[in-house]
Amino acid sequence: MLLFVLPTLAFTQSDLSLEEAIRKGLENNYQVQLIKTNIEIAETQNSWGMAGMSPTFSLNATNLANLTDNSNNPASFFPGVVLSDNFSPSIDMSWTLFSGFGVRINKQRFEQMEEQTKGNAIVVIESTVYEIIMAYYTAVVQEEKIEIVQELLDYSTDKWNYFELRSEVGVGNSMDVLQFKNLMLSDSSNLLNQDLARKNALRNLNLLMGEEVEKEYKLTDDLKSDLPDISYDELRSFMMQNNQNIKNQYINVTLQELNRDSQKSFSYPVVSLSLGASPSFGYIELFGDNAFSTSTSSANYYGTISARYTLFNGFQRKRNVQIAKLQTEMAVLELDELKLQLSHNLMGIYDLFQTRSQLKKIAGNLVRNNSQMWEYGKDQYDESQINIFDLNDIRISYLQAELSSIDRNFELLQTYYDLYRLSGKLAQEFKISEELNK
């Protein structure tokens, strides 16, 4: 029964720290790989050529073959059957010299779109790092709970073996044997459930790291017990400068302003330059009594400068500019709303952090008291001063206090990282911006 209940770790395990788990996740996580590909697309798109600065060259070729029968045409210079074949290649260049500063605006827009893509990538990577941290510590929590349950199972198993041996020699109480057997079976069930929770937590961690489902690790980092003091004013000031969602909204405002400038650029004339060269190579052959053949060649060069200006289009340009201005104002309002919302969220999480700090201290005191009661209760039971039912009540209180203390510690740690994530400190601590350049 013990071989069945106790978790088997006969296979090889690799040590895994939190830092190593984050590194694996950033290397293997599929969402991170996809967002890095989006960055490459944005960087490729951000060029003067895509903005319209470069001229356009085109190469054309035409071959025209014509067979004409002038046998019954006395007015023709070439009476008879005439075959003509003409091959005309051409190269053309068109270049927009001026479009109301549209090219410069397009280049600025591509630059902002690249920054926006990187900003979105930072949000995704930041979220991935946060999820890996929480998954790692969740697995640590489940392993710590296993140690508590295992401790109680060891005690109930030892006592059951002890009283069963006494019962076999006729000096024990069969009631104690049955009671400790019940406790052992109950602890065995708890250990099985707790081991399942541990395996599920490790599988979730493997998923976030992009590892195979059967991969097993030995987690080397414990739950952080001493967290640094944090100030709401400091966090809020840092958030306004470094929160990536706020940064992304600033970029959105800039894009709307560029869209407004782009609509204004349509009020300017468009000046274009066209250049081209078109050589021609021909062949003529006359069939009949006066048969002959000859080859011809010629070349044509041209250059054109054109200017186009729309005088009136039903006030469409004016309306587009007005719409762009309104969209810019909406983006600014959305930015102000986001700042206010994040400030409220930060205050709520900060208050929760303070409350959970107090709850953790209370849980720690409960653990110390119940640990002493558990040790004292075991001694009193061995001295027959309390019965097994009293011991079981003390045992349950001890178990609940230990598990609750682990949960309170994890909840405080989670709130701590919530504050770090919201303020932007998490992205800086793990150098997420540098990760994008790898």
Side-chain angles (χ1 to χ4, degrees):
M1 180 179 296
L2 290 178
L3 291 176
F4 172 74
V5 170
L6 295 178
T8 59
L9 299 175
F11 41 82
T12 304
Q13 289 182 320
S14 302
D15 290 345
L16 182 69
S17 65
L18 176 60
E19 182 179 354
E20 182 70 13
I22 293 174
R23 186 191 64 80
K24 286 179 177 290
L26 295 181
E27 289 178 356
N28 304 326
N29 186 276
Y30 290 104
Q31 293 299 319
V32 174
Q33 295 181 44
L34 289 173
I35 201 67
K36 287 185 176 181
T37 304
N38 288 337
I39 292 177
E40 292 182 13
I41 295 173
E43 290 176 344
T44 304
Q45 182 178 257
N46 182 17
S47 65
W48 284 105
M50 290 291 292
M53 171 65 82
S54 304
T56 301
F57 293 88
S58 60
L59 181 64
N60 306 293
T62 302
N63 189 80
L64 176 61
N66 188 31
L67 184 65
T68 305
D69 187 356
N70 292 325
S71 301
N72 298 320
N73 184 8
S76 174
F77 290 103
F78 300 103
V81 179
V82 180
L83 172 65
S84 63
D85 187 14
N86 189 67
F87 175 66
S88 300
S90 66
I91 183 169
D92 301 290
M93 184 206 77
S94 60
W95 192 7
T96 301
L97 300 178
F98 180 75
S99 60
F101 310 104
V103 173
R104 177 176 58 82
I105 294 172
N106 287 338
K107 182 62 170 64
Q108 291 176 341
R109 181 184 295 170
F110 285 138
E111 290 174 355
Q112 291 300 315
M113 290 174 65
E114 180 181 344
E115 290 300 317
Q116 186 180 56
T117 303
K118 290 182 178 180
N120 293 334
I122 290 176
V123 172
V124 172
I125 296 177
E126 187 180 53
S127 177
T128 301
V129 170
Y130 174 83
E131 291 175 357
I132 292 174
I133 292 174
M134 291 300 100
Y136 186 93
Y137 283 126
T138 297
V140 172
V141 164
Q142 303 306 327
E143 290 185 348
E144 288 188 1
K145 289 183 177 181
I146 281 182
E147 295 177 3
I148 303 301
V149 178
Q150 182 70 62
E151 174 192 341
L152 295 180
L153 175 60
D154 292 341
Y155 176 78
S156 59
T157 302
D158 290 342
K159 284 298 183 180
W160 173 62
N161 289 330
Y162 171 74
F163 283 107
E164 186 177 40
L165 180 62
R166 286 174 57 89
S167 178
E168 289 176 356
V169 297
V171 295
N173 188 340
S174 59
M175 176 63 70
D176 290 327
V177 175
L178 293 176
Q179 286 294 335
F180 277 108
K181 185 175 182 179
N182 285 339
L183 292 179
M184 183 197 66
L185 293 175
S186 177
D187 292 337
S188 300
S189 298
N190 293 337
L191 187 59
L192 281 174
N193 290 327
Q194 191 57 49
D195 187 52
L196 178 62
R198 179 191 67 86
K199 291 178 180 178
N200 289 337
L202 288 175
R203 275 192 289 267
N204 184 50
L205 178 60
N206 283 341
L207 177 63
L208 293 172
M209 293 191 301
E211 294 283 2
E212 297 296 331
V213 64
E214 67 275 3
K215 188 72 175 179
E216 279 279 356
Y217 289 104
K218 179 182 178 182
L219 307 182
T220 59
D221 287 6
D222 297 328
L223 285 176
K224 291 182 179 180
S225 56
D226 296 326
L227 299 177
D229 294 332
I230 48 180
S231 165
Y232 171 77
D233 292 334
E234 178 186 350
L235 287 173
R236 187 179 183 279
S237 176
F238 199 90
M239 179 185 71
M240 291 302 173
Q241 299 295 326
N242 298 280
N243 181 276
Q244 193 57 49
N245 289 312
I246 294 178
K247 289 183 177 181
N248 290 347
Q249 188 58 33
Y250 272 115
I251 295 175
N252 186 45
V253 172
T254 303
L255 284 172
Q256 294 300 331
E257 291 173 346
L258 289 173
N259 179 56
R260 178 196 60 199
D261 295 340
S262 177
Q263 295 300 327
K264 289 180 179 180
S265 69
F266 290 108
S267 299
Y268 293 89
V270 177
V271 180
S272 302
L273 171 66
S274 298
L275 299 175
S278 177
S280 178
F281 306 94
Y283 173 78
I284 300 176
E285 183 175 357
L286 176 63
F287 299 96
D289 296 337
N290 300 318
F292 75 93
S293 63
T294 185
S295 298
T296 63
S297 63
S298 63
N300 179 42
Y301 305 94
Y302 72 90
T304 305
I305 295 180
S306 63
R308 177 175 55 84
Y309 180 73
T310 303
L311 294 176
F312 180 75
N313 62 350
F315 301 106
Q316 182 175 343
R317 287 178 302 191
K318 182 179 180 181
R319 285 193 294 268
N320 288 339
V321 172
Q322 290 176 341
I323 292 173
K325 288 181 178 179
L326 292 174
Q327 289 174 337
T328 302
E329 293 174 1
M330 289 174 58
V332 173
L333 289 174
E334 289 173 352
L335 174 61
D336 293 338
E337 181 186 21
L338 178 61
K339 289 181 178 180
L340 180 62
Q341 181 181 358
L342 291 179
S343 297
H344 280 265
N345 291 345
L346 184 67
M347 176 59 79
I349 298 175
Y350 184 78
D351 287 342
L352 182 61
F353 177 80
Q354 300 299 322
T355 301
R356 286 181 171 177
S357 297
Q358 298 300 318
L359 290 175
K360 178 192 172 183
K361 293 179 181 179
I362 295 174
N365 291 329
L366 285 173
V367 166
R368 285 189 291 272
N369 292 339
N370 283 277
S371 295
Q372 293 176 3
M373 289 181 60
W374 174 236
E375 296 299 326
Y376 183 65
K378 288 188 292 184
D379 292 339
Q380 282 196 321
Y381 177 77
D382 292 338
E383 295 172 2
S384 300
Q385 297 182 19
I386 61 174
N387 56 38
I388 191 171
F389 301 104
D390 296 328
L391 178 65
N392 189 42
D393 290 339
I394 298 174
R395 170 183 170 276
I396 292 175
S397 297
Y398 168 71
L399 175 62
Q400 291 176 345
E402 287 283 358
L403 298 182
S404 177
S405 178
I406 295 173
D407 287 337
R408 299 296 84 77
N409 195 5
F410 174 78
E411 290 171 356
L412 179 62
L413 189 64
Q414 181 183 34
T415 311
Y416 171 80
Y417 279 108
D418 286 339
L419 289 172
Y420 257 50
R421 180 186 181 186
L422 191 59
S423 64
K425 287 180 176 290
L426 186 66
Q428 287 200 357
E429 180 178 345
F430 293 96
K431 301 178 181 179
I432 292 178
S433 296
E434 297 179 8
E435 180 65 28
L436 297 178
N437 300 322
K438 293 183 180 180

